[in-house]
Amino acid sequence: MKQYKITTEERVLHFKQPAGTSRGVYTTRRIWLVTLTDGERSGVGECAPLPKLSCDDIANYGDVLKEKGNEFVAALQQGDEAVAAFFETLRDYPSMLFGFETALLSLSSLTSHPSSLFDTAFSRGEVGIPINGLVWMGTFEEMQQRIEEKLKKGFHCVKLKIGAIDFDAELELIKQIRNRFSYHDVELRVDANGAFPYEDALYKLELLSQYALHSIEQPIKAGQWAYMAELCRESPLPIALDEELIGVNDPEQKRQMLNIIRPAYIILKPSLHGGMIGTREWISIAQDMGIGSWITSALESNIGLNAIAQLCSSVYGDAITMPQGLGTGQLFTDNIPMPLEIRGEKLWNIEH
Ligand SMILES: [Mg+2]
């Protein structure tokens, strides 16, 4: 019989440039690595709650993670059913669940490559996954320069964070991009991170829709289902939910929320939205209702980024055309090496 053991290690990663997010500016990022061994092999997973955003951003995270790790090991000794039951108890701890799922898949990898969590064309290094180029919040000039860089690198889908500078300036920026690049050349996604007050939201969506945008993420703050539902009905621009999904962890509640709001898309971040199990559950419920989706990383190190990319290829198959949000891994000076490489606008696994 295998003797499982788990260790947890806290790490602080340093951003190359301070990262402006909807929750302020980050210069460092705290994560926990969990290493699972069975006496012969080992697998590493990443637990990366986002401060003030994750539903499991708790003060004593490290201690709780250790406790849950011990329960995980006990479940592993009992077999698959016990593991499934244990994972079910982690619905409200999505970042921990995601780390444990990653460590177990890496440990059980059927190939000699621990980065291969699933057997897919992506994990075999045969195809890359198309990703969007992310342009961080900044001044008008900074954002314009960053967009130019992304286009030069070959990205056809650019995601802009808006809601930080003046709305008119942002609209002007989008207009200028559209003057130079038609929507056949560049797909533009915008993310408002809840910045629009409800009263102005529809008007702003109408102004934005002049520029043939692909979608807007979270135009208003999460937790206002009736308002969001109304926007989704009235908006000329497709709406994607992101923060709205945080903390909605029960399958019936997920179904109810999507049924009320009826967004065009949902965006899945495994660390925040239920680990791998919860992400698959969200996507399957959304599919039943004709709601589209894509998967995005959430400032994880390369360990988490690799797991998210692998999950993408397992969920969406070998010929992904919808760009995914997987480009954030190059942000840290002290990232953990993984066989990932961005070539043009695609993320590749280069272990093979
Ligand atoms: Mg977002």
Side-chain angles (χ1 to χ4, degrees), residues 159 161 191 193 217 242-243 269:
K159 172 175 157 179
K161 292 272 193 182
D191 185 354
N193 285 118
E217 278 179 45
D242 174 3
E243 288 88 339
K269 294 172 176 163

